[in-house]
Amino acid sequence: MLNSYILRRLLLIAPVLFGVTIIVFLVISLVPGDPAKAILGTFATPEAVAQVRHDLGLDESLPAQYGIWLFNLLQGDFGRSYILHKPVIVEIMARLFPTLLLAGVALVLSSVFGILLGIVAAVRQNAWPDKVITVAVLIGISTPSFWLGILLIFWFGVRLAWLPVGGMQEMFGGGGVWDVTRHLVLPSCALAAVAGAVLVRLTRGAMLEVMRQDFVRTARAKGLPERRVIFVHAFRNALVGIIPVIGLEAGFVLGGAVYIETVFQWPGIGRMLVSAISTRDILLVQGGVLVIAFAYVLINLLADIAQSLLDPRIRAG
Amino acid sequence: MSGAVLSTQDVVREFGGGRRWFGTPRPQVRAVDGVSLAVPRGRTLGIVGESGCGKSTLARMMVGLLLPSSGAIEIDGASVAELARTDRKALHRKVQMVFQDPLGSLNPRKTVQQILEAPLRALHGMERAARRERVAELMSLVSLRAEFAERYPHEFSGGQSQRIGIARALAANPEVIVLDEPVSALDVSVQAQVLMLLADLQARLGLTYVFISHDLAVVETISDEVAMMYFGKVVERGPRARIFADPQHEYTKLLLASIPGARQKT
Amino acid sequence: MSGRPTAWRLLTQNAVVAFGLGLLGVLVLIVLAAPVLPLLDPNVTDVLHRLKPPLFPGHPLGTDQVGRDILSRLIWGTRLSLAVGVIAALTAAFVGSVIGLSAAFYGGLADTLLMRGIDMLMAFPYLLLALAIVAALGPGLFNAMMAIIIVNIPFFARGVRGGTLSVVNADFMAAARLSGLTNLQIIATELLPNVLPGIVIGVSTTIGWMILETAGLSFLGLGAQPPQADLGGMLGEGRNLIQVAPHVATIPGVVILLLAVGINLVGDGLRDVLDPKLKSGGLARTHARTAAARGEERRRGLTPAGSDARLPLAVRGLHTQFTVGRQVYKAVGGVSFTVKPGEAVGLVGESGSGKTVTALSIAGLVATPPGKIVQGEILHHGEDLVDAPMARLQAVRGNSIAYVFQDPLTTLNPLMPVGEQVAETIRRHQGVPRAEAWRRAIALLESVRLPDAAARASSYPHEFSGGQRQRVGIAMALANNPEVIVADEPTTALDVTTQAQVLALLNDLRRERNAALVFISHDVGVIAELCDTVYVMYGGKVVESGPVADVLQAPAHPYTQRLLACVPVLGHPDRKIEPIPGLPPATNALPDGCAFAPRCDLAEARCRSGSIELVAVSGEHLARCVRVAA
């Protein structure tokens, strides 16, 4: 059902993506100092610098640079990495899937467990499950995910030696699905823990809020069993507020992947970005940020559409 | 009309219009659609209508909080829109407003003293000592104990809050007060108190009221003239006795017939 | 007389928050004292004593990979991380608040442009944007902090704008304008004080994030640069040593955790204190039914039900209370009434008189917490609904006793088609298949004269007008041919003309089906038109009852008399309106004797003590006044 809301929302994607390219472009081109010198080092010859400046299009005006950059971008040309000596797009494509897999699994894990525990905490408010969950949530939102990752490696990888601690080099390197899954367990849990804690808290609050609404009283006045009151009437309404936050969580998970990939040596875009920043491989950073931002925008689009399918008031605009 | 202190001439106010990004054009609504009214000095004009008829929009235009899309509103022969642009303080010394939600119209973070002093200082440039004296006077005018002035709004009931709202309007020493559903949020016993207070103040201070309400019986009690609004237009107006005894417009008749007490008696 | 002392007391009263404050206080004290503590130089290396475990002589927390003292580095690092977090949060809050405030206050094009820009920034996962900024500015603690500030500004701007918008349209802003205040004065004295609590909440709940985020950047080597170290940097250095010297990475992590726990606890506490919505345990979950005292305690002093046990509804000696903090609100203080088959009973009173709580008590719909039925019973054909098994109560609700509520917008589920909301209750009680329930729902919607019912049954509540929604509410109540319909101010939210139609409809249909009606209203006129019997309530008690004609035409209780005298009556504009002086009593501080005595000009000494009983004025007409008995 392609209703007018979804259509409008799809059309709005274009200016958002356009804006994203402008911001990425501006941030990178406002680099203080000469990127060419930064790339080549302090002892480069003037000729070499001029050559690199030309290659990067830095001898053009800023709008012209942007125009050329965008034009190339639309053709899939993200430029060349001076450090890796290959096209940026090739490097990104090789690393996109591992990142999306890690972030996706973490997002699903955190959403499912976050919402379930949130409901349990709300329904059993002030009883022991609620108290246990509340303390766990507090610790969850206060824990740096990279530190959690290190602890997981230490206990499950080193001490107990149940799971591989990292070293996932090639996604399709022959280990098969089982190997990938085993490598995925620890990083996705570390990544999901914090995001999940935020969702537990949100779901609990949303459920408590909704349970006080008049229509819940109406549902009870109709003699509906409490199970139906909670899940059909209260939860669906709470979900309207939860879904956009899941969209935001996607950003959290995609960003957090940078830490987790570094800790677990996961071959994704996050780890690529960190090393690209330290080697000042500007174009690689630009491409990586852009691709992840696009993914994030698309996930939020899906969240908005899901929310509109649930809530007729949003469809009406 | 001779002696009119406040008058409106073909006042129109539109909302909306334009387009959304990639969207359908937004519908344009005429909230107020060509209203002409006049309020004689020292009298009360009652404006009756149901929700969405444009009566609150009209009220906000009368005090210069909103500007008309077209048409003119005059107070004491001066244009309200003009004054709102050039000399807001002069305008608000002439016309004030009392709002529907008694608590919502008081800043929760200010004491009653501070709330009542604001117009005294800003509109009349009164000194500190004079202000204190005047606040005490205003409190007694609306039958509140002077020591209540040190309290915050949440410590008051709805009826008391509405008295403070009225005192705030009085502080400006206006000629006209526009009352937008001033008793709708109050219980009947408290509503009666506020209605009596308003009548008493009018008699003592010679105020002119524009009293806006959906409650026919209340409007009948307090008004000299009555205007019926329906979908942004005044469909009928005239002296109170005539309107209620001999309604001409179908909508007025329907409204009168809908009052529970009225049908019972027929 | 500011609100601060009470807020501070509230904050420290909560044991959990006090723990957070204590934890945070200790950490802050330690880092503030760092320059005077007898610590080793955090940057002096000693390769001979590298990677010593905790409790090593001279190094209480051991040493790192180049033999530096971990305790010293930890305290200095915490100092750095905390400072960066606080500065970043305050700066981001300030800049974001200025943007959000101006956007909301000035509106128009400025608002649109600022917010579009903010939307664009928020289209990035914020850590990624921070990385891009660090990539551009180059690694370093200051640059990392700038990046964290920039990516957090949009969150504050958006939040503050939302908070401001809700204040900008408040009536008191208009009132300030009318008081002659300038824009600047309005922002400073009206807007800011009301938006500030939201900003404080924002800052207190983000400082923790900021610390984690800057620690993250340092962890990646993009923040603090060696040899200087903040907590994240120390963690990063210890990461590769996790197999040989786990303490190097573990200790700074524990400190980050403690710091964040402390900040989050205090932030939550602040939010609870400052957010009016959360005050007085506002977010307690409501239970499936109202709590009640145990049977024998509840029935103490009740006479045997006798013939009342055969009636569809008999409320006997009902006391319902709300406990909020230490205050007990006796909302209903001993209400008894009976409903015969097909009878229309009216409960009339002002707000706080207990009429709605009485109505909701019937089917156990008073919110618990804080509500509780402490005394009395509610008999439905002799069965006490107060302690009937849950399944039995649910079988009665919506079946033999059905409700119509006040505000039809909030009482219908916004996400469910109206037809389904009617069909749901039919399926529940009649056990018919889906299609049949849907067919019956449409028939019901037709019977309440919802235009084009078959098609509109699939529409959602927001697509109907107020009057139409209340017709749906009535259809829902009628769905299972109830014996008793409890209608709680069903037309208060509606316009006069709509109200008349909806009332007529409700009355016609319930007569057709011979359902009894319990009608709650503040409007004497409506009660007079609709009801056979009326109960006038004041301060949680029935003060007068009897046939409508008797009570309203010859009121015996001074309150009823005065109430009728202060209602303007259409067609009698010259009738003198006599207000009742004073205010209705608060139910947590009811006076002894007659609750109306303080406002009654006929009150005598005996009105102010003991309990005053209902006595017969004539036949069925009763009043709770000492002057009637005399």
Side-chain angles (χ1 to χ4, degrees):
Chain A
M1 183 178 63
L2 195 68
N3 58 43
S4 72
Y5 172 81
I6 296 181
L7 202 66
R8 207 165 62 231
R9 193 65 191 70
L10 281 173
L11 284 169
L12 263 172
I13 275 292
V16 171
L17 292 181
F18 185 65
V20 164
T21 61
I22 291 186
I23 291 177
V24 168
F25 176 77
L26 279 181
V27 168
I28 300 299
S29 30
L30 296 180
V31 175
D34 190 335
K37 274 192 188 138
I39 287 167
L40 295 174
T42 338
F43 305 108
T45 60
E47 293 77 33
V49 170
Q51 180 60 40
V52 171
R53 284 183 63 85
H54 182 72
D55 287 354
L56 291 174
L58 292 177
D59 40 6
E60 304 276 350
S61 73
L62 206 60
Q65 284 181 38
Y66 174 70
I68 295 165
W69 179 71
L70 188 63
F71 181 75
N72 290 336
L73 211 61
L74 290 174
Q75 295 171 314
D77 178 5
F78 285 61
R80 270 188 84 82
S81 161
Y82 276 79
I83 307 295
L84 302 172
H85 303 291
K86 57 176 156 175
V88 166
I89 187 78
V90 171
E91 181 67 8
I92 286 176
M93 277 311 162
R95 288 167 169 271
L96 185 58
F97 178 73
T99 294
L100 291 183
L101 179 70
L102 174 62
V105 169
L107 189 62
V108 170
L109 280 180
S110 65
S111 305
V112 170
F113 285 100
I115 290 174
L116 280 180
L117 291 176
I119 293 176
V120 170
V123 172
R124 309 277 296 127
Q125 193 196 12
N126 295 335
W128 69 265
D130 182 31
K131 289 185 174 146
V132 171
I133 290 171
T134 304
V135 171
V137 163
L138 177 69
I139 293 174
I141 59 171
S142 307
T143 306
S145 59
F146 43 91
W147 184 59
L148 182 61
I150 294 173
L151 291 185
L152 289 180
I153 288 179
F154 180 67
W155 285 104
F156 293 96
V158 179
R159 280 285 163 91
L160 300 169
W162 287 353
L163 290 160
V165 297
M168 179 91 226
Q169 294 304 334
E170 282 289 324
M171 206 68 217
F172 308 102
V177 177
W178 175 238
D179 184 52
V180 173
T181 310
R182 276 167 52 84
H183 277 91
L184 200 53
V185 173
L186 291 182
S188 59
C189 284
L191 193 50
V194 183
V198 173
L199 268 179
V200 173
R201 193 174 247 231
L202 178 90
T203 305
R204 179 179 182 273
M207 281 299 286
L208 290 176
E209 180 107 33
V210 170
M211 294 289 280
R212 302 173 51 78
Q213 306 269 324
D214 287 351
F215 63 82
V216 168
R217 188 182 61 195
T218 307
R220 286 184 176 139
K222 291 198 286 193
L224 301 179
E226 195 63 7
R227 184 180 293 270
R228 189 171 168 87
V229 171
I230 290 174
F231 288 99
V232 175
H233 287 271
F235 176 61
R236 270 181 26 189
N237 276 278
L239 206 53
V240 172
I242 294 170
I243 287 176
V245 178
I246 294 182
L248 293 177
E249 290 288 326
F252 184 85
V253 171
L254 283 169
V258 174
Y259 301 131
I260 297 301
E261 289 180 6
T262 306
V263 171
F264 288 92
Q265 297 165 327
W266 187 261
I269 288 189
R271 193 154 66 102
M272 175 197 88
L273 280 175
V274 175
S275 64
I277 290 172
S278 44
T279 54
R280 310 230 66 190
D281 194 345
I282 300 288
L283 289 181
L284 200 53
V285 174
Q286 203 172 39
V289 170
L290 204 57
V291 166
I292 296 293
F294 275 22
Y296 181 45
V297 168
L298 292 180
I299 293 172
N300 270 300
L301 173 73
L302 290 180
D304 279 1
I305 290 175
Q307 192 192 20
S308 81
L309 291 179
L310 193 63
D311 190 342
R313 290 165 298 183
I314 296 173
R315 287 204 291 279
Chain B
M1 197 184 291
S2 65
V5 57
L6 179 73
S7 65
T8 70
Q9 191 68 45
D10 291 325
V11 167
V12 172
R13 173 70 204 203
E14 288 164 337
F15 289 108
R19 296 177 72 92
R20 284 191 266 245
W21 278 22
F22 304 107
T24 42
R26 277 187 231 182
Q28 194 170 42
V29 186
R30 282 200 163 198
V32 173
D33 189 2
V35 168
S36 301
L37 292 168
V39 197
R41 191 177 297 278
R43 314 299 297 267
T44 300
L45 169 69
I47 300 180
V48 187
E50 296 184 281
S51 52
C53 74
K55 54 191 196 300
S56 288
T57 305
L58 183 62
R60 285 178 175 256
M61 286 193 287
M62 284 176 167
V63 296
L65 285 173
L66 274 179
L67 297 181
S69 306
S70 71
I73 303 176
E74 290 195 344
I75 185 156
D76 265 346
S79 159
V80 168
E82 187 63 31
L83 281 176
R85 272 191 292 268
T86 58
D87 191 357
R88 240 165 23 106
K89 295 190 177 184
L91 174 65
H92 296 322
R93 281 193 291 266
K94 290 178 192 293
V95 57
Q96 278 292 332
M97 182 160 174
V98 173
F99 298 87
Q100 171 171 7
D101 175 9
L103 216 55
S105 61
L106 304 176
N107 183 348
R109 314 237 164 223
K110 275 182 156 182
T111 63
V112 173
Q113 178 82 26
Q114 290 169 319
I115 290 170
L116 295 183
E117 278 194 13
L120 297 177
R121 181 170 41 211
L123 295 176
H124 294 286
M126 285 168 79
E127 294 301 320
R128 194 182 151 79
R131 289 202 304 262
R132 295 206 83 84
E133 202 175 306
R134 178 73 177 141
V135 166
E137 212 175 291
L138 287 167
M139 293 292 279
S140 90
L141 259 181
V142 296
S143 313
L144 287 176
R145 293 216 294 274
E147 67 260 30
F148 283 6
E150 293 308 321
R151 299 195 185 172
Y152 286 88
H154 70 260
E155 299 173 62
F156 294 95
S157 70
Q160 290 171 323
S161 301
Q162 200 55 299
R163 285 165 195 271
I164 298 166
I166 293 170
R168 191 205 56 77
L170 289 175
N173 209 9
E175 295 167 53
V176 181
I177 301 184
V178 178
L179 304 128
D180 186 8
E181 301 261 15
V183 295
S184 311
L186 307 177
D187 269 320
V188 279
S189 71
V190 181
Q191 163 181 317
Q193 294 170 5
V194 173
L195 288 176
M196 295 311 290
L197 172 70
L198 287 172
D200 177 54
L201 289 171
Q202 184 169 43
R204 282 160 69 181
L205 307 172
L207 293 165
T208 305
Y209 288 153
V210 176
F211 191 99
I212 293 173
S213 178
H214 70 280
D215 188 329
L216 285 164
V218 167
V219 167
E220 190 189 21
T221 305
I222 200 161
S223 309
D224 302 299
E225 306 258 329
V226 174
M228 311 293 293
M229 276 188 80
Y230 186 60
F231 278 105
K233 288 193 164 73
V234 171
V235 295
E236 182 164 12
R237 70 183 166 117
R240 172 188 71 184
R242 208 275 292 150
I243 295 270
F244 285 89
D246 181 22
Q248 298 298 311
H249 195 274
E250 282 310 311
Y251 178 67
T252 318
K253 290 179 189 168
L254 175 67
L255 263 186
L256 285 168
S258 301
I259 303 300
R263 260 186 308 169
Q264 191 194 25
K265 284 183 193 73
T266 52
Chain C
M1 279 286 289
S2 78
R4 183 169 281 148
T6 50
W8 175 252
R9 215 179 48 231
L10 278 172
L11 204 57
T12 46
Q13 257 172 9
N14 184 333
V16 180
V17 179
F19 171 74
L21 268 174
L23 181 63
L24 203 55
V26 169
L27 289 171
V28 169
L29 274 180
I30 292 177
V31 300
L32 284 180
V36 297
L37 290 177
L39 295 172
L40 297 171
D41 187 321
N43 295 328
V44 165
T45 59
D46 176 5
V47 202
L48 286 178
H49 293 107
R50 58 194 290 268
L51 293 179
K52 292 298 173 203
L55 301 179
F56 187 81
H59 300 287
L61 292 180
T63 59
D64 69 2
Q65 68 281 7
V66 286
R68 293 173 296 197
D69 180 53
I70 289 186
L71 178 66
S72 168
R73 289 180 68 72
L74 193 66
I75 291 175
W76 285 101
T78 308
R79 189 177 154 102
L80 195 58
S81 289
L82 196 58
V84 167
V86 171
I87 292 172
L90 290 180
T91 316
F94 179 76
V95 178
S97 301
V98 169
I99 294 175
L101 263 176
S102 356
F105 187 74
Y106 291 102
L109 192 63
D111 184 28
T112 312
L113 287 179
L114 279 172
M115 284 303 135
R116 285 294 155 269
I118 295 288
D119 284 350
M120 294 298 168
L121 283 177
M122 290 182 90
F124 289 89
Y126 61 70
L127 186 67
L128 231 49
L129 190 57
L131 280 181
I133 295 170
V134 173
L137 299 177
L141 188 57
F142 181 77
N143 291 345
M145 189 175 81
M146 289 304 293
I148 296 295
I149 290 172
I150 292 172
V151 298
N152 275 288
I153 285 174
F155 289 91
F156 277 102
R158 187 177 270 198
V160 170
R161 176 176 175 270
T164 309
L165 278 183
S166 66
V167 178
V168 161
N169 295 320
D171 278 346
F172 67 79
M173 291 288 286
R177 210 167 277 277
L178 291 175
S179 296
L181 301 186
T182 61
N183 274 353
L184 213 59
Q185 285 173 319
I186 290 177
I187 292 179
T189 69
E190 314 288 318
L191 197 54
L192 209 52
N194 285 290
V195 179
L196 208 54
I199 300 178
V200 171
I201 294 171
V203 171
S204 66
T205 47
T206 35
I207 289 183
W209 280 118
M210 302 269 194
I211 291 178
L212 293 188
E213 284 161 16
T214 2
L217 290 179
S218 294
F219 171 77
L220 296 175
L222 306 175
Q225 298 298 307
Q228 185 192 45
D230 64 354
L231 293 171
M234 293 177 67
L235 246 172
E237 289 165 2
R239 173 167 74 89
N240 296 323
L241 306 165
I242 191 72
Q243 308 211 10
V244 286
H247 69 280
V248 182
T250 309
I251 292 169
V254 171
V255 175
I256 296 183
L257 177 66
L258 290 178
L259 207 54
V261 164
I263 290 169
N264 285 325
L265 282 177
V266 174
D268 291 352
L270 267 178
R271 195 190 51 204
D272 290 354
V273 171
L274 292 177
D275 189 340
K277 228 178 28 187
L278 298 174
K279 265 185 190 162
S280 68
L283 270 188
R285 170 175 116 76
T286 56
H287 289 242
R289 73 191 296 177
T290 310
R294 279 184 312 133
E296 58 267 35
E297 192 185 331
R298 197 158 43 75
R299 295 198 186 87
R300 219 176 29 209
L302 284 184
T303 53
S307 61
D308 283 357
R310 285 191 293 275
L311 294 176
L313 185 65
V315 173
R316 293 163 31 90
L318 178 71
H319 288 71
T320 306
Q321 298 183 345
F322 297 92
T323 309
V324 179
R326 283 180 203 146
Q327 296 288 326
V328 178
Y329 295 82
K330 297 179 178 171
V332 179
V335 168
S336 303
F337 65 91
T338 58
V339 181
K340 301 182 189 74
E343 188 188 17
V345 171
L347 302 185
V348 69
E350 299 180 82
S351 46
S353 64
K355 55 189 192 304
T356 292
V357 179
T358 304
L360 293 178
S361 296
I362 294 172
L365 292 171
V366 177
T368 295
K372 185 177 182 184
I373 295 174
V374 291
Q375 256 190 58
E377 55 186 13
I378 288 162
L379 299 184
H380 175 51
H381 295 295
E383 180 184 12
D384 188 358
L385 294 181
V386 177
D387 58 6
M390 194 61 217
R392 179 65 198 132
L393 178 65
Q394 283 170 341
V396 171
R397 284 175 174 179
N399 192 15
S400 49
I401 299 179
Y403 277 80
V404 182
F405 294 106
Q406 179 170 350
D407 182 350
L409 181 59
T410 59
T411 51
L412 294 177
N413 185 339
L415 306 187
M416 201 184 259
V418 295
E420 169 61 15
Q421 301 196 41
V422 179
E424 178 185 48
T425 180
I426 298 174
R427 290 203 307 271
R428 164 69 180 92
H429 295 290
Q430 300 178 28
V432 295
R434 229 159 235 284
E436 174 62 12
W438 183 256
R439 203 187 53 71
R440 290 189 197 178
I442 289 172
L444 274 164
L445 291 174
E446 275 163 0
S447 75
V448 295
R449 277 164 253 159
L450 191 76
D452 200 11
R456 301 212 64 197
S458 310
S459 300
Y460 294 88
H462 73 274
E463 297 171 273
F464 294 89
S465 70
Q468 289 171 332
R469 279 194 286 261
Q470 198 55 298
R471 287 166 192 271
V472 173
I474 292 173
M476 243 158 59
L478 294 172
N480 299 302
N481 282 318
E483 273 182 274
V484 181
I485 298 172
V486 183
D488 180 14
E489 304 245 18
T491 57
T492 308
L494 305 179
D495 274 328
V496 184
T497 47
T498 320
Q499 167 177 332
Q501 296 160 3
V502 170
L503 281 180
L505 177 79
L506 176 63
N507 207 26
D508 291 350
L509 288 177
R510 71 130 194 129
R511 278 174 197 279
E512 239 169 62
R513 293 159 193 243
N514 198 31
L517 180 67
V518 178
F519 194 90
I520 286 84
S521 181
H522 67 283
D523 188 333
V524 183
V526 173
I527 295 274
E529 187 172 315
L530 224 56
C531 297
D532 308 313
T533 315
V534 64
Y535 292 79
V536 182
M537 292 192 63
Y538 189 81
K541 287 193 165 72
V542 173
V543 294
E544 183 160 8
S545 65
V548 165
D550 294 0
V551 173
L552 298 187
Q553 270 155 34
H557 195 285
Y559 173 67
T560 319
Q561 293 167 354
R562 300 292 303 262
L563 183 70
L564 292 172
C566 67
V567 184
V569 177
L570 201 66
H572 301 278
D574 299 320
R575 192 179 77 122
K576 196 162 167 2
I577 294 179
E578 287 186 67
I580 310 176
L583 296 170
T587 50
N588 59 340
L590 286 171
D592 243 10
C594 175
F596 187 61
R599 300 173 77 187
C600 180
D601 49 10
L602 304 169
E604 320 163 11
R606 59 185 173 142
C607 296
R608 302 185 210 278
S609 63
S611 100
I612 294 156
E613 298 304 316
L614 275 171
V615 286
V617 179
S618 62
E620 302 271 277
H621 185 179
L622 310 176
R624 195 185 293 274
C625 180
V626 292
R627 297 172 65 255
V628 174

